[in-house]
Amino acid sequence: MSITKINKLDDLLRITFLEWHEEYVANTERSIVKHHEHIWANAVKVKPSELPSDWSHDPDDAYRFTDDIDQNINDWILPRETIQTLYIDHFSTITRGSSLVILIASFEKRLNDLCNSIKCHDQDEIKLSLSDIKGKSYADRVAKYLEKVVGINAGKSTNDERWQNINHLFHIRHKIAHTGDSYNLNKAEQDWIKQHGYKDIEFHGIKGGFLHFSLECINKYEQLLLDGIADKYYRPADEDLDPLD
């Protein structure tokens, strides 16, 4: 089933965002590991006798690359620290940052589909569209629409932790998209990241595990919304039924 062709509310409830994107996140992390392995597989240790006279690093940490990496740098002698920074850390930061931008953009599409499908499903009662709502961010607009127009809990009015997580992720995505790896996070974002064990993201980029954590935050928030939709449109007031039974 094509994602772009899903427009019925019951279809959207059948497939979760996690099912669509869990493998994408796993593939991102696998590609980073493969890249690291490739770099070190082609880094050849230099003999101390081959070092330049002005070499200021540990003689045991001198490397040059084989032709498999880049012909232009085969004659360079690089310390491990430089290889780690330029060819591993930088690549990892760019790859994970790009993946987070794609992940959140895709979730925006998911939220848009949910709001549009609810309007179509309940068009006699709901006259406003998501595009009629203003907010500080896309997530803010969606939460306002679902709470004030549709009448379900989206976490914003109660300051639910699941809403807070999503709000922070949207802000971080925005800064990555517009500033690259210069995140320039505010204090609230820094405190949130530290709280979840990623305190050095501000200076060293997104570390391993953060994409999985982000996906977990998205999944929990989506479940909050789906529960609210199910309660409003699929469950009788006196019963607790699976909306898809």
Side-chain angles (χ1 to χ4, degrees):
M1 182 185 298
S2 170
I3 294 175
T4 58
K5 292 183 180 179
I6 294 177
N7 50 27
K8 294 182 179 179
L9 188 57
D10 53 351
D11 287 336
L12 284 169
L13 294 177
R14 282 188 171 90
I15 304 176
T16 69
F17 188 85
L18 182 67
E19 290 176 283
W20 286 346
H21 295 85
E22 190 171 30
E23 187 60 24
Y24 169 71
V25 171
N27 282 336
T28 297
E29 293 298 339
R30 279 195 289 266
S31 72
I32 290 173
V33 170
K34 290 293 184 183
H35 173 79
H36 293 184
E37 292 174 348
H38 179 67
I39 291 294
W40 287 116
N42 291 278
V44 179
K45 210 164 206 182
V46 176
K47 298 177 182 179
S49 60
E50 299 175 328
L51 292 176
S53 58
D54 60 349
W55 182 258
S56 59
H57 302 275
D58 186 341
D60 293 329
D61 263 354
Y63 297 83
R64 63 161 53 93
F65 287 127
T66 66
D67 289 345
D68 291 337
I69 295 294
D70 189 337
Q71 181 64 43
N72 293 325
I73 61 173
N74 289 339
D75 295 331
W76 297 4
I77 297 179
L78 302 171
R80 176 185 292 271
E81 181 181 357
T82 301
I83 295 174
Q84 181 70 38
T85 300
L86 292 180
Y87 298 98
I88 294 182
D89 292 344
H90 189 57
F91 173 83
S92 302
T93 296
I94 291 174
T95 302
R96 291 195 179 102
S98 300
S99 294
L100 184 62
V101 169
I102 292 171
L103 199 64
I104 299 301
S106 187
F107 188 51
E108 281 190 357
K109 172 65 165 58
R110 170 72 165 168
L111 294 174
N112 186 70
D113 287 345
L114 280 172
C115 291
N116 288 341
S117 294
I118 290 172
K119 186 177 186 302
C120 291
H121 184 82
D122 196 10
Q123 54 188 326
D124 291 337
E125 296 294 328
I126 298 177
K127 302 304 181 183
L128 293 177
S129 299
L130 179 60
S131 58
D132 298 316
I133 306 301
K134 295 182 179 180
K136 295 179 181 179
S137 69
Y138 195 86
D140 187 53
R141 289 173 52 212
V142 168
K144 286 182 178 179
Y145 181 77
L146 293 176
E147 291 186 343
K148 298 181 181 298
V149 178
V150 178
I152 68 170
N153 176 30
K156 176 178 170 60
S157 60
T158 59
N159 206 27
D160 190 290
E161 182 181 5
R162 290 165 289 186
W163 154 254
Q164 293 181 44
N165 290 343
I166 287 297
N167 197 34
H168 284 308
L169 283 176
F170 269 73
H171 286 173
I172 292 172
R173 182 287 303 264
H174 178 79
K175 290 182 176 178
I176 293 174
H178 291 278
T179 65
D181 57 3
S182 300
Y183 298 154
N184 192 28
L185 305 181
N186 61 38
K187 187 178 186 306
E189 292 159 353
Q190 291 178 28
D191 291 344
W192 176 73
I193 286 172
K194 291 176 183 178
Q195 176 187 344
H196 293 283
Y198 298 96
K199 61 183 179 180
D200 58 350
I201 187 174
E202 173 76 21
F203 305 103
H204 302 290
I206 296 174
K207 296 298 184 182
F210 191 79
L211 288 177
H212 287 287
F213 167 70
S214 301
L215 190 57
E216 180 183 338
C217 291
I218 291 171
N219 187 48
K220 289 180 178 179
Y221 185 65
E222 181 190 46
Q223 193 59 56
L224 171 69
L225 301 183
L226 296 185
D227 286 344
I229 293 169
D231 285 336
K232 183 176 177 66
Y233 294 111
Y234 291 91
R235 294 189 183 120
D238 57 348
E239 296 182 37
D240 186 13
L241 300 176
D242 188 317
L244 303 181
D245 281 346

